[in-house]
Amino acid sequence: MTTQKQKDNSRKIIVRVCIGTGGLAAGGKEVIAAFKKAINDACVDVDVDFTCHYQKVGCRGFCARDVLVDVVDGDESITYQGMEPEMARRIVEDHLIGGKPVRKWLIDDSYYAFYEKQQKILLVDCGTIDPEDIDAYMKVGGYGGIQKVLKEMTPEDLIAEMKASGLRGRGGAGFPTWLKWDLCKKSASDKKYMVCNADEGDPGAFMDRSLIEGNPHSIIEGMMIAGYAIGASEGYVYIRAEYPAAVDRLKLAIEQAHQKGFLGENIFGSNFSFTVKIKLGAGAFVCGEETALIASIEGERGMPRAKPPFPAQSGLWGKPTVINNVETLSNIPYIIRNGAQWFSSYGTEKSKGTKVFALTGKVKNTGLIEVPMGIRLGEIIYDIGGGIIEDKKLKAVQTGGPSGGCIPANLLDTPVDYESLAKVGSIVGSGGMVVLDEDDCMVNVAKFFLEFTQAESCGKCVPCRVGTKRLLEIMERITSGRGKESDIPLLERLSNDIKSASLCGLGQTAPNPILSTLKYFREEYEAHLEGRCPAKVCKELLTYTVLEEFCKGCGACLRACSVGAVSGEKKKPHVIDESLCVKCGACFDVCKFNAVARD
C-alpha cells in the first residue's frame, strides 16, 4: 500500500499534448489516446515510485512542428516534435519509465530559435495549462486580476491603469482601450453591455481562435474587468460558428466560471454582478465591424451604420456598449496582475506591449507568434520564421489581412507597430502576416485579396458595393492579358475614391492591397499590360512548349493532358497544340526532364 510519505516523495510526470487547431489537424487527439493506452498498459499510474498523466494543452505556436508533446518531470521539460500515435509507446517505455529520452524525435536548435525573440504575455499560459480546466488557470494566477480589481480599485482607477498601460485595441484600428471604456462609463444609461469581438475571418489568421482554444478563461476574466470598469452586468462573445473547438471550450469555461461563483450575482462578495452569453455568427467578414456586429447580435442582417453615435454611446439595443477584440481582452488580466508600468515597458513609445501574429505563407517556420511591438519585420521573417522555404528570394510580406498592404523585401527594417506600418502603406490589422516569395505574382495576390473583400461587402453603400466590383473587373482584365494602359491610373483613382467614400472599414481599406502593390510593384502591372506575367502565375498569359532537345518521348505529358493538346510518338519529341491547350500546367508539372517550357 502506498503511504502518504511515499506519495509526497513520488516522481510525477506530466505529458502535455497540443490540441490547438494545428495540433488537432496533425493528429493531437490520436496522440493523446495513444499515450493514454501506453500509460495504462505500463501501469505507471499505480506504481509506488512515480505517477504519470497526460494533459491537453492549447496551441504551442510552432504549428509547423505539430504534434508537439512535452514530457514534464519535476522542473525539467523535454519536447518532442512531429509526434504520431505509434511513437507514444516507445516514449512511455524509454523516457517515462526508463528515464532516457528518445533523442531522434526531440526538437532541434531551430525550435529554440523560433522562440528566442518572442515575448510571451498572452500566450505564456497557452500550451502549458489545460484550457478545459478552470483550476489550471487559477493555479497560474487566473481570476486574481478581477479579485484585485473588486477589492482595491474603483472603475476610475481601472480606466486610469489602462491609460497608463498604453494598451490599444488589437482588432485592427489601434484605438486606445481606456478611451473607449471612459466614453462608455460616462454615457448615462440604466443598462450597458460588454462585447467580445471574436469574429475572426481574415484569410490566414488564427490568433483569436487560438487564444480562445488555449486559454478561454483569460478572455472571460478580461470581459469581467472591462464590464466592471464601464458599469456593465452583461456580456456577449460574438464568435463564428465555424470555430467548433473554440466555441466548445468557451462554453465549458463559462459553465465552470458559473459553478465557481465567478460569474453571476455579487461576485467575490462584491456588489458587482456579471454574466456572459455566446452569440454564434454565420461567418460574414463585415460582422467584424462594430456596428454590423451589434446588428447581428440583435437578430438583424449584419450591416454597418454611420457613426456617430459610437457604440460606446449607443450600441447594443441602443445602450452604451464597449466592443473589444479577443486579444485586447486577454491582455487585461495580465496588466492588472503585473501593473501598467510592466506592460508599457514592452513596445514602442506609441505602440505598447506585444502583438500576436499568425505567421504563414512561404516561410519555413509557420505558426502563432507573440512579439514586442517595434520588432523589425526582418527579425520576424528570418530569425523567428527561419527564412524562406527552399531558400528562395523574399518578395514581400502582406500584413493586416485582406485589407492590409504588401511590404517589399527592401523594407524589412521597418518596425512592426501601428505608426511604422501605416507609413509604408500597410496596417497591423488583426495580426495576419503572409510571406510571399519570388514565385508569387503581386498583381494576382492583390486580385486574390480583392476577390475576398468584394465577396464580403454587405452592399449597403455604393462606393463599396459597386466600386470594389469595378476594381475586381479591372484586375481580372489585367491578369487575363486584356488590360489597357488607362487601367493603372483608373485603379489608383477608383481606389482612393472608395477609401474616402465608403461607410465602414471594409470598404475604406479594401483597396489597400492594390495601392500598395502599385506603389512597390508597378513594373509587374506594366508587364501584364504587355502580355507577360514575370512570376509565371497568371494562366492566361502563359504559353507551354516542348523543348525538343530535352524531350525523351516518355509520354508523361501526353498522359497528363486532359484535353489532348499533347501529341507525339514514344521515344520521339512531343509537341503541344496551343489552340487546344487550356494552360493547366499539368504537362509542366509531370515532366522529369525539364523539357516543357513555360513562358
Side-chain angles (χ1 to χ4, degrees):
M1 182 177 178
T2 304
T3 66
Q4 185 60 45
K5 185 176 180 181
Q6 282 174 314
K7 285 182 178 178
D8 292 341
N9 293 331
S10 66
R11 180 174 161 229
K12 297 178 180 177
I13 300 178
I14 299 173
V15 178
R16 293 174 178 156
V17 181
C18 173
I19 55 164
T21 297
L24 289 174
K29 275 190 177 179
E30 291 75 14
V31 170
I32 286 179
F35 268 109
K36 181 179 180 182
K37 186 173 188 310
I39 290 170
N40 287 337
D41 289 350
C43 298
V44 289
D45 262 337
V46 294
D47 193 289
V48 295
D49 292 318
F50 73 95
T51 59
C52 178
H53 303 280
Y54 66 91
Q55 183 185 81
K56 307 180 294 292
V57 296
C59 181
R60 302 286 305 278
F62 206 166
C63 304
R65 302 292 173 88
D66 273 323
V67 177
L68 289 162
V69 171
D70 285 340
V71 174
V72 184
D73 188 353
D75 294 331
E76 184 183 49
S77 177
I78 293 178
T79 303
Y80 292 94
Q81 61 184 357
M83 279 291 303
E84 296 178 4
E86 51 271 26
M87 298 155 70
R89 184 166 297 280
R90 183 174 171 187
I91 291 175
V92 170
E93 292 173 353
D94 289 10
H95 188 174
L96 275 60
I97 298 175
K100 295 181 179 178
V102 184
R103 297 199 173 279
K104 65 178 180 179
W105 296 333
L106 295 177
I107 54 174
D108 52 30
D109 290 344
S110 63
Y111 182 86
Y112 299 104
F114 180 77
Y115 293 102
E116 192 173 351
K117 289 197 172 181
Q118 293 194 50
Q119 180 61 53
K120 299 288 186 77
I121 292 180
L122 308 184
L123 301 180
V124 68
D125 296 321
C126 288
T128 59
I129 64 171
D130 185 344
E132 299 177 356
D133 181 2
I134 190 171
D135 291 329
Y137 180 61
M138 292 176 67
K139 284 179 182 175
V140 295
Y143 291 105
I146 182 64
Q147 291 187 59
K148 178 181 177 181
V149 163
L150 294 179
K151 289 179 180 176
E152 304 174 11
M153 303 176 78
T154 65
E156 290 77 12
D157 294 336
L158 189 50
I159 290 172
E161 188 77 354
M162 285 302 114
K163 184 177 182 180
S165 74
L167 177 66
R168 296 167 65 174
R170 300 298 196 242
F175 193 77
T177 301
W178 76 270
L179 194 55
K180 190 183 282 189
W181 289 12
D182 193 48
L183 183 60
C184 187
K185 183 183 177 303
K186 291 175 178 173
S187 299
S189 177
D190 59 336
K191 182 81 176 178
K192 296 179 184 179
Y193 293 98
M194 179 65 225
V195 176
C196 171
N197 184 352
D199 188 64
E200 182 181 57
D202 306 24
F206 46 91
M207 300 78 59
D208 293 347
R209 182 181 61 188
S210 297
L211 269 170
I212 295 173
E213 290 175 352
N215 195 1
H217 285 286
S218 67
I219 288 91
I220 295 173
E221 187 180 4
M223 290 183 71
M224 295 170 71
I225 295 171
Y228 173 75
I230 64 173
S233 59
E234 194 171 339
Y236 282 87
V237 179
Y238 187 87
I239 184 170
R240 292 188 162 219
E242 61 213 58
Y243 289 176
V247 172
D248 288 346
R249 286 176 199 165
L250 197 56
K251 285 180 179 176
L252 180 61
I254 293 171
E255 183 182 330
Q256 290 175 342
H258 270 289
Q259 289 172 350
K260 289 275 187 184
F262 296 168
L263 288 174
E265 301 292 324
N266 303 116
I267 297 168
F268 295 117
S270 70
N271 293 324
F272 176 60
S273 300
F274 193 74
T275 59
V276 176
K277 297 177 181 176
I278 294 176
K279 170 66 179 177
L280 298 181
F285 182 65
V286 73
C287 285
E289 198 278 337
E290 289 187 339
T291 56
L293 184 154
I294 287 171
S296 183
I297 293 179
E298 291 174 342
E300 302 294 328
R301 182 178 173 186
M303 301 176 86
R305 63 163 172 78
K307 294 182 285 189
F310 297 99
Q313 301 163 310
S314 178
L316 199 54
W317 290 294
K319 305 296 183 181
T321 302
V322 162
I323 301 175
N324 287 141
N325 108 312
V326 169
E327 191 178 334
T328 310
L329 289 167
S330 192
N331 264 300
I332 293 166
Y334 295 99
I335 293 174
I336 298 301
R337 279 187 241 157
N338 299 293
Q341 191 174 0
W342 163 82
F343 182 81
S344 63
S345 67
Y346 298 107
T348 65
E349 182 183 353
K350 294 182 178 178
S351 299
K352 300 294 186 184
T354 60
K355 178 75 188 80
V356 179
F357 288 97
L359 184 61
T360 59
K362 303 289 184 63
V363 69
K364 291 177 182 174
N365 302 332
T366 55
L368 196 70
I369 65 170
E370 183 176 3
V371 293
M373 286 282 196
I375 189 173
R376 306 286 166 172
L377 198 54
E379 292 178 277
I380 293 178
I381 306 304
Y382 286 98
D383 296 340
I384 297 174
I388 311 303
I389 294 173
E390 297 179 358
D391 294 324
K392 290 190 175 182
K393 187 177 178 182
L394 172 70
K395 180 178 274 189
V397 183
Q398 204 273 351
T399 69
S403 301
C406 294
I407 304 169
N410 64 349
L411 293 179
L412 281 186
D413 204 34
T414 302
V416 178
D417 58 55
Y418 293 105
E419 288 71 27
S420 301
L421 291 188
K423 282 181 184 175
V424 298
S426 190
I427 56 175
V428 172
S430 57
M433 186 173 284
V434 183
V435 179
L436 306 166
D437 72 8
E438 58 190 282
D439 293 334
D440 287 302
C441 168
M442 300 310 295
V443 184
N444 193 58
V445 166
K447 187 184 75 168
F448 168 79
F449 285 113
L450 184 66
E451 283 174 336
F452 178 85
T453 48
Q454 201 282 320
E456 294 291 338
S457 171
C458 74
K460 184 171 184 177
C461 73
V462 173
C464 182
R465 182 181 72 240
V466 180
T468 56
K469 181 69 174 173
R470 297 288 89 83
L471 278 180
L472 184 57
E473 288 172 354
I474 297 170
M475 293 298 286
E476 288 173 339
R477 199 158 66 216
I478 292 175
T479 53
S480 65
R482 296 177 288 109
K484 301 176 289 189
E485 282 191 20
S486 59
D487 281 342
I488 291 180
L490 181 57
L491 278 175
E492 290 175 318
R493 189 169 67 252
L494 186 54
S495 292
N496 288 317
D497 288 345
I498 294 169
K499 282 175 69 73
S500 62
S502 290
L503 177 62
C504 79
L506 192 154
Q508 291 162 6
T509 57
N512 282 346
I514 292 177
L515 291 172
S516 63
T517 50
L518 272 171
K519 180 178 181 181
Y520 297 116
F521 302 96
R522 196 181 190 91
E523 70 282 359
E524 291 199 25
Y525 282 84
E526 293 169 346
H528 281 70
L529 295 181
E530 296 169 358
R532 295 183 294 111
C533 175
K536 303 186 190 321
V537 170
C538 298
K539 283 174 57 175
E540 294 182 59
L541 299 181
L542 300 180
T543 301
Y544 291 90
T545 54
V546 174
L547 301 174
E548 190 174 323
E549 61 271 33
F550 296 124
C551 183
K552 307 296 183 185
C554 69
C557 58
L558 189 149
R559 293 189 292 275
C561 182
S562 61
V563 295
V566 181
S567 60
E569 298 179 19
K570 194 173 182 180
K571 296 186 178 180
K572 291 184 178 179
H574 288 25
V575 294
I576 298 174
D577 185 341
E578 285 189 40
S579 65
L580 298 176
C581 180
V582 294
K583 307 176 189 297
C584 67
C587 55
F588 181 86
D589 294 336
V590 300
C591 183
K592 299 178 180 177
F593 307 104
N594 296 321
V596 178
R598 184 175 62 182
D599 296 305

